[in-house]
Amino acid sequence: MELRSVEELMDLLHAGRPQHALRTAALLRRGRPADKELQVAGLVLGIGPVLCPGDEAARARSAAEAVRALLGERVFRLVRGDADPADDDALRLRQAGEESRTAGLDAGVLEDWRTVLELVAARHARLGAVD
């Protein structure tokens, strides 16, 4: 599956475990407020269980492939999860995902992230037009 719009992505996020995804993205926002792609990667990990409900090993790969065309290569690599374990961004993403399982913070609602998703998608579309 390849997502073509933020609206399609929002639908999948709503169908998944949005609270875990929201907490992960919120923790990344706190730690790296300017890094929208990293925050979005934390958010879109939440579509993996929707895309591959019975195959835990394929969740990250399926989520990454789904958002690649919409959100770009960096988000794709981060979500796919096979980056160098020493990579700072990959490490932060894993840590936020783990911390979000126990964090009791109010991470807001998915609609709060629509603008960020649209910004990342628009930036990727502009860069893709230049390539």
Side-chain angles (χ1 to χ4, degrees):
M1 166 181 234
E2 185 176 290
L3 298 173
R4 294 288 181 185
S5 70
V6 169
E7 192 61 41
E8 289 177 352
L9 177 54
M10 291 294 288
D11 289 344
L12 282 177
L13 287 165
H14 280 288
R17 296 184 331 210
Q19 289 309 310
H20 180 254
L22 284 167
R23 286 192 303 268
T24 300
L27 288 166
L28 291 164
R29 179 183 275 173
R30 283 183 180 177
R32 301 269 294 271
D35 194 342
K36 303 302 182 210
E37 289 178 339
L38 181 61
Q39 297 164 25
V40 164
L43 185 67
V44 302
L45 279 170
I47 68 171
V50 176
L51 296 173
C52 295
D55 188 355
E56 202 166 317
R59 289 177 180 174
R61 187 178 64 249
S62 295
E65 288 294 337
V67 300
R68 186 179 205 169
L70 181 64
L71 302 175
E73 288 299 312
R74 181 168 179 241
V75 174
F76 165 76
R77 285 192 320 274
L78 287 166
V79 172
R80 191 176 57 192
D82 59 3
D84 178 359
D87 177 80
D88 185 53
D89 293 339
L91 180 62
R92 285 180 186 262
L93 181 58
R94 278 193 307 278
Q95 288 172 336
E98 291 170 14
E99 188 179 341
S100 68
R101 296 187 200 305
T102 59
L105 70 121
D106 178 11
V109 296
L110 279 174
E111 203 55 42
D112 296 340
W113 286 90
R114 181 181 296 274
T115 302
V116 177
L117 290 168
E118 289 170 347
L119 288 170
V120 172
R123 180 176 182 270
H124 171 67
R126 282 194 310 275
L127 292 176
V130 173
D131 288 342

